[in-house]
Amino acid sequence: MINARISGIASYIPDDILDNEMLSNMVETNDEWITTRVGIKERRILHKDVGSSYMGIIAVNRLLESTGLAKDQVDLMICATSNPDYRFPSTASIIHHGCGLTSGYAYDIQAACAGFIVALQDANAYIRSGLYKNIIVVCTEKMSSMINYKDRQTCPLFGDGAAAVLVQPTEEPGMGVQDAVLHVDGVGLDYLVMKGGGSAHPTTQQTFDDGWHYLFQDGRHVYKHAVTDMLTSSLDVMKRNNLTADDIKYLIPHQANLRIIEAVADKAGVPMDKVLVNIQYRGNTSAASIPLCLDENKHILKKGDKLILTAFGAGFTWGAMYLVWDM
């Protein structure tokens, strides 16, 4: 049986740091308040007058350089982003062109913070079908473009960044993507949304004045759903594959809130020394958070390590994936 494996990974984060002390000069907050509630000390911000594609292009170029894959060998690019450069064309098409790729197709998906595992499952299906052999999944998020830096509830949470993985086939038993469970429930619309700018509420002076072009989040509802749904989906994929917490080398959760991560790990029986975390210095980078965390920890990952990836985002959209590391 052919499985899909991650055979390369690369990332990019902007140089500019926005730490909690700097935020305290912009909005009524402080380091203790932010650290205690969400576990974030700083985040990276892309101050350049460019879109998410800028970071995606750098991440993909780094991936191509590190793997040695020729540009004309890329069969498909899947871009996961909640911050596209434009309503259209797709951000994937901009990254594809910006990297000088000369073959293959490219498209966007929108699964918010669950974007990486959703895109990786798409790539897994293409690989297993035999349709494509070289697929790039790129996740790029300029979250700062949708954040109101006068809203103390949301502005400490988010940062910018991008990461890309190369997905290729393997016939080695037990390697690569083994299984995934994905869910969606439209009840999340009221609790995590950008109300303005779409066809439901096109841009007007009123939508602008009402702040509908910033991210809105009902933190209490999102926290409750995120803990429950990331936990249950992780346990489901583990049960389906006869895995216990002892079998798992690492749990890699979406980096939204350290309290959420700790609650999921505790309820799943996974000690925190087996949970990969980088939220302290990256914040929530939405779809890019899991691959960013993977890239920054690839030096400790070994072939055969059994990993559980889990994420929760707007929609609500959530799920978990069982991946055996093969790099």
Side-chain angles (χ1 to χ4, degrees):
M1 180 178 179
I2 296 175
N3 281 338
R5 61 184 284 259
I6 292 177
S7 57
I9 187 167
S11 64
Y12 170 79
I13 54 170
D15 293 331
D16 291 338
I17 296 173
L18 177 61
D19 63 25
N20 291 346
E21 183 178 353
M22 297 165 68
L23 263 181
S24 70
N25 295 320
M26 300 165 61
V27 68
E28 186 180 351
T29 190
N30 57 66
D31 176 69
E32 182 182 6
W33 190 91
I34 298 170
T35 303
T36 300
R37 284 161 178 77
V38 297
I40 300 170
K41 303 293 287 186
E42 64 183 45
R43 66 290 294 149
R44 297 298 181 100
I45 303 296
L46 183 65
H47 286 305
K48 294 178 181 291
D49 188 20
V50 291
S52 295
S53 66
Y54 173 87
M55 297 182 291
I57 289 169
I58 296 174
V60 170
N61 279 335
R62 289 178 175 177
L63 178 69
L64 293 172
E65 181 179 359
S66 65
T67 60
L69 185 70
K71 294 182 178 182
D72 61 358
Q73 292 180 307
V74 177
D75 299 316
L76 176 67
M77 175 185 290
I78 306 172
C79 176
T81 183
S82 298
N83 294 272
D85 287 21
Y86 308 100
R87 288 278 297 270
F88 58 87
S90 72
T91 301
S93 68
I94 299 171
I95 296 173
H96 191 275
H97 176 72
C99 291
L101 303 186
T102 57
S103 63
Y105 183 60
Y107 66 87
D108 288 358
I109 68 160
Q110 217 290 40
C113 298
F116 177 66
I117 58 174
V118 172
L120 188 54
Q121 179 70 333
D122 280 6
N124 179 42
Y126 284 119
I127 293 290
R128 287 189 171 185
S129 74
L131 187 60
Y132 299 127
K133 293 183 178 180
N134 299 308
I135 302 175
I136 291 176
V137 172
V138 55
C139 303
T140 183
E141 300 279 21
K142 189 179 181 180
M143 294 301 297
S144 60
S145 68
M146 63 164 63
I147 301 304
N148 180 359
Y149 285 94
K150 296 181 180 180
D151 178 6
R152 70 192 297 261
Q153 300 297 325
T154 57
C155 71
L157 303 179
F158 298 95
D160 301 338
V165 298
L166 176 60
V167 186
Q168 294 180 311
T170 178
E171 295 185 4
E172 186 174 356
M175 290 292 126
V177 177
Q178 300 298 299
D179 195 12
V181 292
L182 302 173
H183 301 278
V184 67
D185 185 349
V187 71
L189 173 63
D190 292 335
Y191 306 116
L192 188 51
V193 64
M194 181 186 286
K195 296 181 181 179
S199 57
H201 301 288
T203 303
T204 65
Q205 186 62 49
Q206 190 64 50
T207 64
F208 181 80
D209 292 342
D210 290 343
W212 283 15
H213 298 274
Y214 294 120
L215 177 149
F216 167 79
Q217 176 174 276
D218 182 325
R220 180 174 299 179
H221 277 88
V222 170
Y223 180 95
K224 179 180 69 175
H225 281 275
V227 172
T228 300
D229 294 340
M230 288 170 65
L231 173 65
T232 55
S233 59
S234 297
L235 293 178
D236 285 349
V237 81
M238 290 169 65
K239 183 178 179 180
R240 281 179 14 173
N241 292 275
N242 299 312
L243 298 170
T244 68
D246 291 337
D247 298 317
I248 301 305
K249 184 66 175 180
Y250 294 110
L251 171 69
I252 303 96
H254 166 52
Q255 310 288 305
N257 180 321
L258 186 58
R259 290 169 59 201
I260 292 174
I261 293 171
E262 291 172 340
V264 171
D266 178 63
K267 294 176 185 296
V270 179
M272 282 303 294
D273 62 0
K274 294 177 64 173
V275 182
L276 298 186
V277 178
N278 68 351
I279 191 173
Q280 300 95 323
Y281 306 108
R282 300 290 175 257
N284 181 348
T285 54
S286 191
S289 78
I290 290 178
L292 264 174
C293 193
L294 281 171
D295 188 39
E296 292 175 359
N297 287 280
K298 63 187 176 186
H299 62 285
I300 65 171
L301 297 176
K302 297 179 175 60
K303 182 172 180 175
D305 283 350
K306 296 177 180 179
L307 313 176
I308 297 294
L309 319 180
T310 184
F312 175 91
F316 293 131
T317 303
W318 73 95
M321 174 175 283
Y322 170 33
L323 171 70
V324 179
W325 195 249
D326 188 20
M327 273 184 60

